[in-house]
Amino acid sequence: MAKTTEIAPNIYRISVYALRGDLQFNHFLVKDEEPLLFHTGLRGMHAEIREAVSRLIKVSDLRHISFSHFESDECGALNEWLIAAPKADVICGQVSAMVCVNDFIGRETRPVADGESFSTGMLHFRHCRTPHLPHGWDSGMLFEETEKTLLCSDLFHQTGDNEPITSCDVVGRSRDAMKAYQAGILAEYVPYTPTTAHNLKRLADLKPKTLAIMHGSSFSGDCARALSDLDAVYREVFGRETGA
Ligand SMILES: [Fe+2]
Ligand SMILES: [Fe+2]
C-alpha cells in the first residue's frame, strides 16, 4: 500500500515501493485551493496512487497535473488521471507539450516557459527548464517559492525502501545507486552534458529548503550544497570518456 507523508507544508509524498527494482516511486500531491499532482506514476500503479490521493482530496477536484519529463513513471498514467479528474489541466514545459504530450493526451496542455510561474492558491510554483537533466530534451523541475521546495524528479535517485524524509547524505546514497546502475542495463542514467553544471547551479541558486525526490527519501537541509555536490558525483560517474 502507498505510504503518504507531508514532507513540506501542504506537500504530500505518496510513495510506492517496488520490490522488483528495489526502488521507491514517489508522487507529490499539493493540497491547496487548486490541488496539484506532480508525477502521475506508472499506469500499473494508478489505482494504488489514486486511492492514496483520494484520502487527501476528492480526486475529481484535482486542478493541475505536472511532471518533469515524458517517461512512464513521470507521466504514464496521465490519461487515466484526466479521466478521473476532468477539470485538471496539464502543466509541462514547452518542448514536452510540443513533441510528446499534446499528441499523447489528444488535447492541448498548458505549456510553461522557463521561469514562468503559476499559483495553486497559497503556494506558487516556478518552472525551471533543465534540458537533459536528469534526462530527456523536455526535462524541467518545479520550484515552490513560498516554502522553497524543489520538485526535482530523478535527481538524487536512491535505491531501497527509505524513510520519507531525511537530512542524511542523499548525495552519497545516489552516488552508490548510480555506480551500481553503471554496471547494468540502466547505465548512463544521466547524460553529463556541457550544460549539466550550469543547470544544477541554477537550481542551487534557488536555495531550496526541501528536495522532493522521486526515487528515495526527500531531503531537508543544505539543498544548495547537495545540488553542488551532485554535480561532482555526476561528473565523476557520467562525465568520463570511456573510449567506447
Ligand atoms: Fe526519468
Ligand atoms: Fe523517475
Side-chain angles (χ1 to χ4, degrees), residues 23-28 38-39 41-42 67-75 130 132-136 138-142 150-159 170-171 173-175 177-178 181 186 188-191 200 203 211-217 227 230 233-234 238:
L23 186 64
Q24 290 173 330
F25 290 84
N26 302 319
H27 320 80
F28 296 92
F38 191 76
H39 305 153
L42 298 161
F67 49 87
S68 166
H69 51 276
F70 193 73
E71 199 171 39
S72 291
D73 57 346
E74 302 263 352
C75 66
T130 58
H132 306 292
L133 180 74
H135 39 234
D138 60 325
S139 278
M141 319 261 159
L142 284 184
L150 181 65
L151 297 154
C152 62
S153 176
D154 297 324
L155 299 185
F156 304 95
H157 178 121
Q158 308 144 53
T159 48
V170 287
V171 179
R173 287 186 195 174
S174 191
R175 180 180 182 275
M178 295 299 95
Y181 279 9
L186 295 174
E188 314 303 342
Y189 187 114
V190 175
L200 286 166
L203 297 174
L211 299 170
I213 295 169
M214 185 175 202
H215 306 286
S217 302
L227 286 155
L230 189 67
V233 165
Y234 282 171
F238 303 116

Short mmCIF file of all heavy atoms in Angstrom, two decimals, residues 23-28 38-39 41-42 67-75 130 132-136 138-142 150-159 170-171 173-175 177-178 181 186 188-191 200 203 211-217 227 230 233-234 238:
data_model
loop_
_atom_site.label_atom_id
_atom_site.label_comp_id
_atom_site.label_asym_id
_atom_site.label_seq_id
_atom_site.Cartn_x
_atom_site.Cartn_y
_atom_site.Cartn_z
N LEU A 23 13.11 -0.22 -5.36
CA LEU A 23 13.02 1.19 -5.70
C LEU A 23 11.69 1.79 -5.25
O LEU A 23 10.65 1.16 -5.40
CB LEU A 23 13.11 1.28 -7.24
CG LEU A 23 13.18 2.62 -7.91
CD1 LEU A 23 14.48 3.33 -7.52
CD2 LEU A 23 13.16 2.43 -9.42
N GLN A 24 11.76 3.00 -4.71
CA GLN A 24 10.52 3.73 -4.41
C GLN A 24 10.13 4.61 -5.60
O GLN A 24 11.00 5.22 -6.23
CB GLN A 24 10.72 4.64 -3.20
CG GLN A 24 10.89 3.90 -1.88
CD GLN A 24 11.26 4.85 -0.75
OE1 GLN A 24 11.90 5.87 -0.96
NE2 GLN A 24 10.86 4.50 0.46
N PHE A 25 8.83 4.70 -5.83
CA PHE A 25 8.28 5.66 -6.79
C PHE A 25 7.45 6.66 -5.98
O PHE A 25 6.48 6.27 -5.33
CB PHE A 25 7.40 4.95 -7.83
CG PHE A 25 8.17 4.08 -8.77
CD1 PHE A 25 8.51 2.77 -8.43
CD2 PHE A 25 8.59 4.56 -10.00
CE1 PHE A 25 9.24 1.96 -9.29
CE2 PHE A 25 9.32 3.76 -10.88
CZ PHE A 25 9.65 2.46 -10.52
N ASN A 26 7.85 7.92 -6.04
CA ASN A 26 7.21 8.94 -5.21
C ASN A 26 6.46 9.96 -6.07
O ASN A 26 6.96 10.42 -7.09
CB ASN A 26 8.26 9.66 -4.37
CG ASN A 26 9.03 8.69 -3.50
OD1 ASN A 26 8.44 7.76 -2.94
ND2 ASN A 26 10.33 8.87 -3.39
N HIS A 27 5.25 10.26 -5.61
CA HIS A 27 4.35 11.19 -6.32
C HIS A 27 3.99 12.26 -5.31
O HIS A 27 3.80 11.94 -4.13
CB HIS A 27 3.13 10.42 -6.81
CG HIS A 27 3.51 9.05 -7.36
ND1 HIS A 27 3.74 7.97 -6.52
CD2 HIS A 27 3.78 8.64 -8.60
CE1 HIS A 27 4.12 6.93 -7.25
NE2 HIS A 27 4.15 7.31 -8.52
N PHE A 28 3.88 13.50 -5.72
CA PHE A 28 3.70 14.58 -4.77
C PHE A 28 2.37 15.29 -5.02
O PHE A 28 2.11 15.77 -6.13
CB PHE A 28 4.88 15.55 -4.84
CG PHE A 28 6.17 14.88 -4.44
CD1 PHE A 28 6.99 14.28 -5.38
CD2 PHE A 28 6.53 14.77 -3.10
CE1 PHE A 28 8.15 13.60 -5.01
CE2 PHE A 28 7.68 14.10 -2.71
CZ PHE A 28 8.50 13.52 -3.67
N PHE A 38 2.20 16.16 -8.86
CA PHE A 38 3.46 16.14 -9.61
C PHE A 38 3.93 14.70 -9.68
O PHE A 38 4.23 14.08 -8.66
CB PHE A 38 4.51 17.02 -8.91
CG PHE A 38 5.74 17.27 -9.75
CD1 PHE A 38 5.70 18.17 -10.80
CD2 PHE A 38 6.93 16.60 -9.50
CE1 PHE A 38 6.83 18.41 -11.59
CE2 PHE A 38 8.06 16.84 -10.28
CZ PHE A 38 8.01 17.75 -11.32
N HIS A 39 3.98 14.16 -10.87
CA HIS A 39 4.23 12.77 -11.27
C HIS A 39 2.89 12.01 -11.22
O HIS A 39 2.31 11.85 -10.16
CB HIS A 39 5.20 11.98 -10.37
CG HIS A 39 6.53 12.61 -10.19
ND1 HIS A 39 7.29 12.39 -9.07
CD2 HIS A 39 7.23 13.45 -10.95
CE1 HIS A 39 8.42 13.07 -9.15
NE2 HIS A 39 8.40 13.72 -10.29
N GLY A 41 2.73 8.86 -12.02
CA GLY A 41 3.03 7.47 -11.74
C GLY A 41 2.79 6.59 -12.95
O GLY A 41 2.24 7.02 -13.98
N LEU A 42 3.22 5.35 -12.81
CA LEU A 42 3.04 4.35 -13.87
C LEU A 42 1.56 3.98 -14.00
O LEU A 42 0.83 4.01 -13.01
CB LEU A 42 3.83 3.08 -13.50
CG LEU A 42 5.35 3.24 -13.38
CD1 LEU A 42 5.92 2.07 -12.57
CD2 LEU A 42 5.99 3.30 -14.76
N PHE A 67 4.76 17.29 -14.30
CA PHE A 67 5.83 16.28 -14.23
C PHE A 67 7.06 16.87 -14.90
O PHE A 67 6.98 17.90 -15.57
CB PHE A 67 5.39 14.97 -14.92
CG PHE A 67 4.82 15.20 -16.28
CD1 PHE A 67 5.64 15.25 -17.39
CD2 PHE A 67 3.45 15.43 -16.44
CE1 PHE A 67 5.11 15.51 -18.64
CE2 PHE A 67 2.92 15.69 -17.69
CZ PHE A 67 3.76 15.74 -18.79
N SER A 68 8.18 16.18 -14.73
CA SER A 68 9.44 16.71 -15.26
C SER A 68 9.65 16.41 -16.74
O SER A 68 10.03 17.28 -17.51
CB SER A 68 10.61 16.13 -14.46
OG SER A 68 11.83 16.35 -15.12
N HIS A 69 9.45 15.15 -17.11
CA HIS A 69 9.77 14.75 -18.48
C HIS A 69 8.89 13.58 -18.90
O HIS A 69 8.29 12.92 -18.04
CB HIS A 69 11.26 14.43 -18.64
CG HIS A 69 11.78 13.45 -17.63
ND1 HIS A 69 12.19 13.84 -16.38
CD2 HIS A 69 11.95 12.11 -17.67
CE1 HIS A 69 12.61 12.79 -15.70
NE2 HIS A 69 12.45 11.71 -16.45
N PHE A 70 8.87 13.32 -20.18
CA PHE A 70 7.97 12.31 -20.74
C PHE A 70 8.59 10.92 -20.58
O PHE A 70 9.45 10.50 -21.34
CB PHE A 70 7.72 12.62 -22.22
CG PHE A 70 6.57 11.83 -22.81
CD1 PHE A 70 5.27 12.14 -22.49
CD2 PHE A 70 6.82 10.79 -23.69
CE1 PHE A 70 4.21 11.43 -23.04
CE2 PHE A 70 5.77 10.07 -24.25
CZ PHE A 70 4.46 10.39 -23.92
N GLU A 71 8.13 10.23 -19.56
CA GLU A 71 8.64 8.91 -19.23
C GLU A 71 7.54 8.22 -18.42
O GLU A 71 6.77 8.89 -17.73
CB GLU A 71 9.92 9.05 -18.41
CG GLU A 71 10.81 7.83 -18.37
CD GLU A 71 12.16 8.14 -17.73
OE1 GLU A 71 12.20 8.90 -16.74
OE2 GLU A 71 13.17 7.62 -18.21
N SER A 72 7.47 6.91 -18.46
CA SER A 72 6.30 6.22 -17.87
C SER A 72 6.07 6.52 -16.40
O SER A 72 4.93 6.69 -15.97
CB SER A 72 6.43 4.71 -18.06
OG SER A 72 6.29 4.38 -19.41
N ASP A 73 7.15 6.54 -15.61
CA ASP A 73 6.90 6.77 -14.18
C ASP A 73 6.54 8.23 -13.90
O ASP A 73 5.85 8.53 -12.93
CB ASP A 73 8.08 6.30 -13.30
CG ASP A 73 9.40 6.93 -13.65
OD1 ASP A 73 9.51 7.55 -14.72
OD2 ASP A 73 10.33 6.83 -12.82
N GLU A 74 6.97 9.14 -14.75
CA GLU A 74 6.65 10.55 -14.54
C GLU A 74 5.23 10.89 -15.01
O GLU A 74 4.54 11.68 -14.38
CB GLU A 74 7.64 11.44 -15.31
CG GLU A 74 9.11 11.21 -14.92
CD GLU A 74 9.64 12.19 -13.90
OE1 GLU A 74 8.94 13.16 -13.58
OE2 GLU A 74 10.76 12.00 -13.42
N CYS A 75 4.82 10.30 -16.15
CA CYS A 75 3.51 10.72 -16.69
C CYS A 75 2.75 9.62 -17.42
O CYS A 75 1.82 9.91 -18.16
CB CYS A 75 3.68 11.95 -17.58
SG CYS A 75 4.62 11.62 -19.08
N THR A 130 15.32 22.40 -17.61
CA THR A 130 16.62 21.75 -17.39
C THR A 130 16.86 20.68 -18.45
O THR A 130 16.85 19.49 -18.14
CB THR A 130 16.67 21.10 -15.99
OG1 THR A 130 15.60 20.14 -15.88
CG2 THR A 130 16.54 22.13 -14.88
N HIS A 132 17.89 17.75 -20.59
CA HIS A 132 18.78 16.59 -20.39
C HIS A 132 19.22 16.42 -18.94
O HIS A 132 20.17 15.69 -18.65
CB HIS A 132 19.99 16.66 -21.33
CG HIS A 132 19.58 16.80 -22.76
ND1 HIS A 132 18.96 15.78 -23.45
CD2 HIS A 132 19.63 17.86 -23.62
CE1 HIS A 132 18.67 16.20 -24.68
NE2 HIS A 132 19.06 17.46 -24.80
N LEU A 133 18.55 17.10 -18.01
CA LEU A 133 18.81 16.92 -16.58
C LEU A 133 17.48 16.64 -15.88
O LEU A 133 16.62 17.54 -15.86
CB LEU A 133 19.47 18.17 -15.99
CG LEU A 133 19.77 18.07 -14.49
CD1 LEU A 133 20.96 17.14 -14.25
CD2 LEU A 133 20.08 19.46 -13.91
N PRO A 134 17.21 15.49 -15.34
CA PRO A 134 18.09 14.33 -15.24
C PRO A 134 18.32 13.62 -16.58
O PRO A 134 19.37 13.03 -16.77
CB PRO A 134 17.36 13.41 -14.27
CG PRO A 134 15.90 13.75 -14.48
CD PRO A 134 15.89 15.24 -14.71
N HIS A 135 17.33 13.67 -17.45
CA HIS A 135 17.48 13.15 -18.80
C HIS A 135 16.24 13.58 -19.60
O HIS A 135 15.21 13.92 -19.03
CB HIS A 135 17.64 11.61 -18.81
CG HIS A 135 16.79 10.90 -17.82
ND1 HIS A 135 17.28 10.01 -16.89
CD2 HIS A 135 15.45 10.96 -17.55
CE1 HIS A 135 16.29 9.56 -16.13
NE2 HIS A 135 15.17 10.12 -16.51
N GLY A 136 16.38 13.58 -20.89
CA GLY A 136 15.26 13.98 -21.74
C GLY A 136 15.37 15.45 -22.15
O GLY A 136 15.56 16.33 -21.33
N ASP A 138 13.11 17.33 -22.94
CA ASP A 138 11.98 18.12 -22.43
C ASP A 138 12.02 18.34 -20.93
O ASP A 138 11.07 18.88 -20.37
CB ASP A 138 10.67 17.42 -22.80
CG ASP A 138 10.56 16.02 -22.20
OD1 ASP A 138 11.60 15.33 -22.11
OD2 ASP A 138 9.45 15.62 -21.82
N SER A 139 13.09 17.97 -20.26
CA SER A 139 13.08 17.98 -18.79
C SER A 139 12.95 19.36 -18.17
O SER A 139 13.48 20.35 -18.68
CB SER A 139 14.37 17.34 -18.26
OG SER A 139 14.25 15.96 -18.27
N GLY A 140 12.27 19.39 -17.03
CA GLY A 140 12.15 20.61 -16.23
C GLY A 140 11.82 20.23 -14.80
O GLY A 140 11.54 19.06 -14.50
N MET A 141 11.87 21.20 -13.91
CA MET A 141 11.54 20.98 -12.49
C MET A 141 10.55 22.07 -12.08
O MET A 141 10.47 23.12 -12.71
CB MET A 141 12.77 21.11 -11.60
CG MET A 141 14.03 20.50 -12.16
SD MET A 141 14.38 18.91 -11.50
CE MET A 141 15.46 18.24 -12.76
N LEU A 142 9.88 21.83 -10.96
CA LEU A 142 9.05 22.88 -10.37
C LEU A 142 9.65 23.29 -9.03
O LEU A 142 10.02 22.44 -8.22
CB LEU A 142 7.62 22.40 -10.14
CG LEU A 142 6.70 22.29 -11.36
CD1 LEU A 142 5.29 21.90 -10.91
CD2 LEU A 142 6.66 23.59 -12.17
N LEU A 150 11.87 22.14 -3.88
CA LEU A 150 12.17 21.85 -5.27
C LEU A 150 11.69 20.44 -5.60
O LEU A 150 12.13 19.46 -4.99
CB LEU A 150 13.69 21.94 -5.51
CG LEU A 150 14.15 21.67 -6.95
CD1 LEU A 150 13.63 22.74 -7.92
CD2 LEU A 150 15.67 21.58 -7.02
N LEU A 151 10.76 20.36 -6.55
CA LEU A 151 10.27 19.07 -7.04
C LEU A 151 11.25 18.64 -8.14
O LEU A 151 11.18 19.13 -9.27
CB LEU A 151 8.84 19.22 -7.56
CG LEU A 151 7.83 19.64 -6.47
CD1 LEU A 151 6.64 20.38 -7.07
CD2 LEU A 151 7.35 18.45 -5.67
N CYS A 152 12.19 17.78 -7.75
CA CYS A 152 13.41 17.63 -8.57
C CYS A 152 13.49 16.32 -9.33
O CYS A 152 14.57 15.93 -9.78
CB CYS A 152 14.64 17.85 -7.72
SG CYS A 152 14.83 16.67 -6.38
N SER A 153 12.34 15.60 -9.45
CA SER A 153 12.29 14.44 -10.34
C SER A 153 13.36 13.41 -9.96
O SER A 153 13.53 13.08 -8.79
CB SER A 153 12.42 14.93 -11.78
OG SER A 153 12.48 13.89 -12.72
N ASP A 154 14.11 12.93 -10.94
CA ASP A 154 15.04 11.83 -10.72
C ASP A 154 16.38 12.24 -10.10
O ASP A 154 17.23 11.37 -9.86
CB ASP A 154 15.34 11.13 -12.05
CG ASP A 154 14.12 10.48 -12.67
OD1 ASP A 154 13.28 9.97 -11.93
OD2 ASP A 154 14.01 10.50 -13.91
N LEU A 155 16.59 13.53 -9.88
CA LEU A 155 17.84 13.92 -9.22
C LEU A 155 17.89 13.26 -7.85
O LEU A 155 16.87 13.13 -7.18
CB LEU A 155 17.92 15.44 -9.04
CG LEU A 155 17.90 16.31 -10.30
CD1 LEU A 155 18.12 17.77 -9.92
CD2 LEU A 155 18.92 15.86 -11.33
N PHE A 156 19.05 12.86 -7.42
CA PHE A 156 19.28 12.21 -6.11
C PHE A 156 18.63 10.83 -6.01
O PHE A 156 18.28 10.38 -4.92
CB PHE A 156 18.79 13.10 -4.95
CG PHE A 156 19.39 14.48 -4.93
CD1 PHE A 156 18.74 15.55 -5.51
CD2 PHE A 156 20.61 14.69 -4.31
CE1 PHE A 156 19.30 16.83 -5.50
CE2 PHE A 156 21.18 15.97 -4.29
CZ PHE A 156 20.52 17.04 -4.89
N HIS A 157 18.48 10.19 -7.15
CA HIS A 157 17.88 8.83 -7.20
C HIS A 157 18.61 7.90 -6.22
O HIS A 157 19.82 7.74 -6.29
CB HIS A 157 18.00 8.32 -8.63
CG HIS A 157 17.48 6.94 -8.86
ND1 HIS A 157 16.48 6.67 -9.75
CD2 HIS A 157 17.85 5.75 -8.32
CE1 HIS A 157 16.24 5.36 -9.76
NE2 HIS A 157 17.06 4.79 -8.90
N GLN A 158 17.81 7.30 -5.32
CA GLN A 158 18.35 6.32 -4.37
C GLN A 158 17.59 5.01 -4.53
O GLN A 158 16.41 5.02 -4.85
CB GLN A 158 18.13 6.81 -2.92
CG GLN A 158 18.63 8.21 -2.64
CD GLN A 158 17.71 8.95 -1.66
OE1 GLN A 158 17.42 8.45 -0.58
NE2 GLN A 158 17.26 10.13 -2.03
N THR A 159 18.25 3.90 -4.30
CA THR A 159 17.57 2.61 -4.27
C THR A 159 17.21 2.27 -2.83
O THR A 159 17.66 2.92 -1.89
CB THR A 159 18.45 1.51 -4.90
OG1 THR A 159 19.76 1.60 -4.33
CG2 THR A 159 18.54 1.67 -6.40
N VAL A 170 22.04 12.19 1.07
CA VAL A 170 21.36 11.64 -0.11
C VAL A 170 22.27 11.66 -1.34
O VAL A 170 22.07 10.88 -2.27
CB VAL A 170 20.04 12.39 -0.43
CG1 VAL A 170 18.95 12.03 0.58
CG2 VAL A 170 20.22 13.88 -0.53
N VAL A 171 23.27 12.53 -1.33
CA VAL A 171 24.21 12.55 -2.46
C VAL A 171 25.03 11.26 -2.47
O VAL A 171 25.20 10.63 -3.52
CB VAL A 171 25.14 13.79 -2.38
CG1 VAL A 171 26.13 13.79 -3.54
CG2 VAL A 171 24.32 15.07 -2.39
N ARG A 173 24.18 8.40 -1.12
CA ARG A 173 23.29 7.29 -1.49
C ARG A 173 23.07 7.24 -3.00
O ARG A 173 23.04 6.19 -3.61
CB ARG A 173 21.92 7.47 -0.83
CG ARG A 173 21.87 7.21 0.64
CD ARG A 173 20.40 7.30 1.04
NE ARG A 173 20.22 7.42 2.46
CZ ARG A 173 19.03 7.62 3.03
NH1 ARG A 173 17.95 7.74 2.30
NH2 ARG A 173 18.92 7.73 4.34
N SER A 174 22.90 8.43 -3.58
CA SER A 174 22.65 8.48 -5.01
C SER A 174 23.90 8.06 -5.79
O SER A 174 23.81 7.37 -6.81
CB SER A 174 22.22 9.90 -5.41
OG SER A 174 21.75 9.90 -6.73
N ARG A 175 25.06 8.45 -5.29
CA ARG A 175 26.30 8.03 -5.93
C ARG A 175 26.39 6.51 -5.95
O ARG A 175 26.71 5.91 -6.98
CB ARG A 175 27.50 8.62 -5.18
CG ARG A 175 28.83 8.25 -5.75
CD ARG A 175 29.96 8.89 -4.92
NE ARG A 175 31.25 8.58 -5.48
CZ ARG A 175 31.93 7.47 -5.21
NH1 ARG A 175 31.42 6.55 -4.41
NH2 ARG A 175 33.11 7.26 -5.77
N ALA A 177 23.93 4.37 -5.87
CA ALA A 177 22.93 3.84 -6.81
C ALA A 177 23.39 4.01 -8.26
O ALA A 177 23.28 3.09 -9.08
CB ALA A 177 21.59 4.53 -6.59
N MET A 178 23.93 5.18 -8.57
CA MET A 178 24.36 5.43 -9.95
C MET A 178 25.53 4.53 -10.33
O MET A 178 25.61 4.02 -11.45
CB MET A 178 24.75 6.90 -10.13
CG MET A 178 23.61 7.90 -9.94
SD MET A 178 22.24 7.73 -11.11
CE MET A 178 21.09 6.72 -10.18
N TYR A 181 24.12 1.15 -11.03
CA TYR A 181 23.41 1.14 -12.31
C TYR A 181 24.39 1.12 -13.49
O TYR A 181 24.08 0.57 -14.54
CB TYR A 181 22.50 2.38 -12.44
CG TYR A 181 21.17 2.27 -11.72
CD1 TYR A 181 20.88 1.22 -10.85
CD2 TYR A 181 20.19 3.22 -11.92
CE1 TYR A 181 19.67 1.14 -10.20
CE2 TYR A 181 18.95 3.15 -11.27
CZ TYR A 181 18.70 2.10 -10.41
OH TYR A 181 17.49 2.02 -9.77
N LEU A 186 20.77 -0.25 -16.79
CA LEU A 186 20.35 1.12 -16.50
C LEU A 186 21.53 2.10 -16.53
O LEU A 186 21.43 3.22 -16.03
CB LEU A 186 19.63 1.19 -15.15
CG LEU A 186 18.31 0.42 -15.10
CD1 LEU A 186 17.73 0.42 -13.69
CD2 LEU A 186 17.29 0.99 -16.08
N GLU A 188 24.23 4.88 -17.75
CA GLU A 188 24.09 6.19 -18.42
C GLU A 188 22.74 6.83 -18.12
O GLU A 188 22.09 7.41 -18.99
CB GLU A 188 24.31 6.07 -19.95
CG GLU A 188 25.51 5.26 -20.36
CD GLU A 188 26.83 5.76 -19.79
OE1 GLU A 188 26.89 6.92 -19.35
OE2 GLU A 188 27.80 4.98 -19.76
N TYR A 189 22.33 6.75 -16.90
CA TYR A 189 21.04 7.29 -16.42
C TYR A 189 20.94 8.79 -16.70
O TYR A 189 19.91 9.30 -17.12
CB TYR A 189 20.99 7.01 -14.93
CG TYR A 189 19.72 7.31 -14.17
CD1 TYR A 189 18.98 6.26 -13.61
CD2 TYR A 189 19.29 8.60 -13.95
CE1 TYR A 189 17.84 6.52 -12.88
CE2 TYR A 189 18.14 8.85 -13.22
CZ TYR A 189 17.42 7.81 -12.68
OH TYR A 189 16.29 8.06 -11.96
N VAL A 190 22.04 9.49 -16.41
CA VAL A 190 22.06 10.96 -16.59
C VAL A 190 23.18 11.31 -17.58
O VAL A 190 24.34 10.99 -17.32
CB VAL A 190 22.34 11.66 -15.24
CG1 VAL A 190 22.48 13.17 -15.42
CG2 VAL A 190 21.23 11.35 -14.22
N PRO A 191 22.86 11.96 -18.68
CA PRO A 191 23.94 12.37 -19.59
C PRO A 191 24.66 13.58 -19.00
O PRO A 191 24.00 14.56 -18.62
CB PRO A 191 23.19 12.74 -20.88
CG PRO A 191 21.83 13.13 -20.43
CD PRO A 191 21.53 12.35 -19.17
N LEU A 200 22.44 22.64 -12.71
CA LEU A 200 22.45 22.34 -11.28
C LEU A 200 22.75 23.60 -10.46
O LEU A 200 22.17 23.80 -9.39
CB LEU A 200 23.46 21.23 -10.97
CG LEU A 200 22.99 19.83 -11.40
CD1 LEU A 200 24.15 18.84 -11.38
CD2 LEU A 200 21.87 19.33 -10.50
N LEU A 203 19.64 25.66 -10.15
CA LEU A 203 18.74 25.09 -9.13
C LEU A 203 19.27 25.38 -7.72
O LEU A 203 18.50 25.73 -6.82
CB LEU A 203 18.58 23.58 -9.34
CG LEU A 203 17.93 23.15 -10.67
CD1 LEU A 203 17.97 21.63 -10.82
CD2 LEU A 203 16.48 23.65 -10.77
N LEU A 211 14.05 19.06 -0.81
CA LEU A 211 14.10 18.44 -2.13
C LEU A 211 13.07 17.31 -2.16
O LEU A 211 13.17 16.36 -1.36
CB LEU A 211 15.50 17.86 -2.40
CG LEU A 211 16.66 18.87 -2.39
CD1 LEU A 211 18.00 18.14 -2.41
CD2 LEU A 211 16.54 19.82 -3.58
N ALA A 212 12.08 17.42 -3.02
CA ALA A 212 11.07 16.37 -3.19
C ALA A 212 11.58 15.44 -4.29
O ALA A 212 11.51 15.75 -5.48
CB ALA A 212 9.73 17.00 -3.57
N ILE A 213 12.12 14.32 -3.86
CA ILE A 213 12.88 13.41 -4.72
C ILE A 213 11.99 12.25 -5.18
O ILE A 213 11.26 11.66 -4.38
CB ILE A 213 14.12 12.90 -3.95
CG1 ILE A 213 15.07 14.08 -3.66
CG2 ILE A 213 14.82 11.78 -4.68
CD1 ILE A 213 16.19 13.77 -2.67
N MET A 214 12.08 11.91 -6.45
CA MET A 214 11.16 10.89 -7.00
C MET A 214 11.47 9.47 -6.54
O MET A 214 10.57 8.67 -6.36
CB MET A 214 11.18 10.95 -8.53
CG MET A 214 10.18 10.01 -9.15
SD MET A 214 10.10 10.18 -10.92
CE MET A 214 8.47 9.51 -11.21
N HIS A 215 12.74 9.14 -6.43
CA HIS A 215 13.13 7.78 -6.04
C HIS A 215 14.04 7.88 -4.81
O HIS A 215 15.18 8.31 -4.92
CB HIS A 215 13.87 7.09 -7.18
CG HIS A 215 13.11 7.09 -8.47
ND1 HIS A 215 12.02 6.27 -8.70
CD2 HIS A 215 13.27 7.82 -9.61
CE1 HIS A 215 11.55 6.49 -9.91
NE2 HIS A 215 12.28 7.44 -10.49
N GLY A 216 13.49 7.49 -3.65
CA GLY A 216 14.27 7.58 -2.41
C GLY A 216 13.69 8.63 -1.48
O GLY A 216 12.63 9.20 -1.73
N SER A 217 14.42 8.89 -0.40
CA SER A 217 13.96 9.85 0.60
C SER A 217 13.98 11.27 0.04
O SER A 217 14.88 11.64 -0.71
CB SER A 217 14.89 9.83 1.81
OG SER A 217 14.96 8.56 2.39
N LEU A 227 23.01 20.03 -4.19
CA LEU A 227 22.96 20.14 -5.65
C LEU A 227 24.36 20.35 -6.22
O LEU A 227 24.70 19.82 -7.29
CB LEU A 227 22.02 21.28 -6.05
CG LEU A 227 20.53 20.95 -5.86
CD1 LEU A 227 19.70 22.22 -5.67
CD2 LEU A 227 20.01 20.14 -7.04
N LEU A 230 26.07 17.09 -6.03
CA LEU A 230 25.54 16.16 -7.03
C LEU A 230 26.23 16.37 -8.38
O LEU A 230 26.47 15.41 -9.11
CB LEU A 230 24.03 16.34 -7.17
CG LEU A 230 23.32 15.28 -8.01
CD1 LEU A 230 23.38 13.89 -7.35
CD2 LEU A 230 21.87 15.67 -8.27
N VAL A 233 29.33 14.41 -8.33
CA VAL A 233 29.05 12.97 -8.47
C VAL A 233 28.72 12.64 -9.92
O VAL A 233 29.24 11.67 -10.49
CB VAL A 233 27.90 12.55 -7.53
CG1 VAL A 233 27.35 11.18 -7.91
CG2 VAL A 233 28.38 12.55 -6.09
N TYR A 234 27.87 13.44 -10.54
CA TYR A 234 27.50 13.17 -11.94
C TYR A 234 28.74 13.25 -12.85
O TYR A 234 28.89 12.46 -13.76
CB TYR A 234 26.44 14.16 -12.41
CG TYR A 234 25.03 13.84 -11.93
CD1 TYR A 234 23.99 14.75 -12.14
CD2 TYR A 234 24.72 12.65 -11.29
CE1 TYR A 234 22.69 14.48 -11.71
CE2 TYR A 234 23.43 12.37 -10.86
CZ TYR A 234 22.41 13.29 -11.07
OH TYR A 234 21.13 13.03 -10.65
N PHE A 238 29.33 9.97 -14.71
CA PHE A 238 28.85 10.02 -16.10
C PHE A 238 29.72 10.88 -17.03
O PHE A 238 29.48 10.90 -18.23
CB PHE A 238 27.42 10.57 -16.15
CG PHE A 238 26.44 9.80 -15.31
CD1 PHE A 238 25.82 10.38 -14.22
CD2 PHE A 238 26.15 8.47 -15.61
CE1 PHE A 238 24.90 9.67 -13.44
CE2 PHE A 238 25.24 7.75 -14.84
CZ PHE A 238 24.64 8.34 -13.75
#
